[in-house]
Amino acid sequence: GAVVSQHPSWVICKSGTSVKIECRSLDFQATTMFWYRQFPKQSLMLMATSNEGSKATYEQGVEKDKFLINHASLTLSTLTVTSAHPEDSSFYICSASRGESSGNTIYFGEGSWLTVV
Amino acid sequence: AQTVTQSQPEMSVQEAETVTLSCTYDTSESDYYLFWYKQPPSRQMILVIRQEAYKQQNATENRFSVNFQKAAKSFSLKISDSQLGDAAMYFCAYRSYNNNDMRFGAGTRLTVKP
């Protein structure tokens, strides 16, 4: 079964509102999680690295005030898209590393489709 | 920064035949990991195969094998006895040895013809 779970799988929100996407590691602790964005027919682009107990590290060009990341516990990271606009509509996917004892295996969540109307 | 290049946007193969997907990468690091991921229409990322750069032996997983050429920074995926279920987007990915974030290529859409 899935070891990294995202919720919700699908979300539609109105332009100007905020929406939160959760990424959970189900049976392991993840000090670091990663958030990616994937536009239709394109590759995964790393948005930010989510660090438990500290600020996220954002990739160049990603607005940190727009894409708020909170990694409050070792099993949960959240991505909040603030003041969403139609151009924020995309597929968002997270990943987490299981740790050195598991060969630092990376697990991906199922992804979340965001549609801003 | 590391970059990953997949020069084949689309590939097609006849069922039961063999197909090779290309991937090159650029890095100044000596230790790293390389991956091939499959992404079906469900969008779930499925690990196909993984290669540690320090290993000279090419990784193999059943019908999937890689040709890892470290000096040439090339990492191609060979799919033997292609099946209809192999049809998907395939992404080549790079990961530093000391960092867990991944860099992905643009992807190759594989079509399998019956």
Side-chain angles (χ1 to χ4, degrees), chain B residues 36-98:
Chain B
W36 278 98
Y37 278 90
K38 172 184 177 181
Q39 188 181 46
S42 68
R43 293 289 185 126
Q44 176 72 53
M45 296 293 284
I46 301 169
L47 178 63
V48 175
I49 202 164
R50 158 183 168 150
Q51 175 84 42
E52 287 89 346
Y54 66 86
K55 291 185 177 179
Q56 293 185 341
Q57 186 174 7
N58 289 324
T60 299
E61 287 289 339
N62 300 314
R63 298 183 294 107
F64 300 87
S65 62
V66 298
N67 183 4
F68 173 46
Q69 301 290 328
K70 190 173 184 179
K73 297 180 183 176
S74 171
F75 183 61
S76 61
L77 174 70
K78 186 173 80 172
I79 306 175
S80 304
D81 186 25
S82 297
Q83 300 176 359
L84 295 178
D86 294 334
M89 281 291 290
Y90 286 82
F91 292 100
C92 178
Y94 174 102
R95 194 179 105 201
S96 299
Y97 188 76
N98 294 316

Side-chain angles (χ1 to χ4, degrees), chain A residues 34 36 38-44 46 49 59 91 93 95 97 102-106 108-110 113, chain B residues 6 33 35 37 39 41-45 47 50 89 91 95 97 99-107 109:
Chain A
F34 303 89
Y36 295 85
Q38 186 180 27
F39 288 108
K41 299 183 179 181
Q42 294 189 25
S43 186
L44 282 72
L46 180 66
T49 302
E59 294 297 298
F91 185 70
I93 190 166
S95 71
S97 171
S102 300
N104 281 329
T105 302
I106 298 291
F108 284 87
E110 310 96 325
W113 281 102
Chain B
Q6 291 178 251
Y33 301 96
F35 304 84
Y37 278 90
Q39 188 181 46
S42 68
R43 293 289 185 126
Q44 176 72 53
M45 296 293 284
L47 178 63
R50 158 183 168 150
M89 281 291 290
F91 292 100
R95 194 179 105 201
Y97 188 76
N99 195 340
N100 287 324
D101 69 85
M102 285 191 174
R103 307 291 166 164
F104 289 87
R109 180 170 299 282

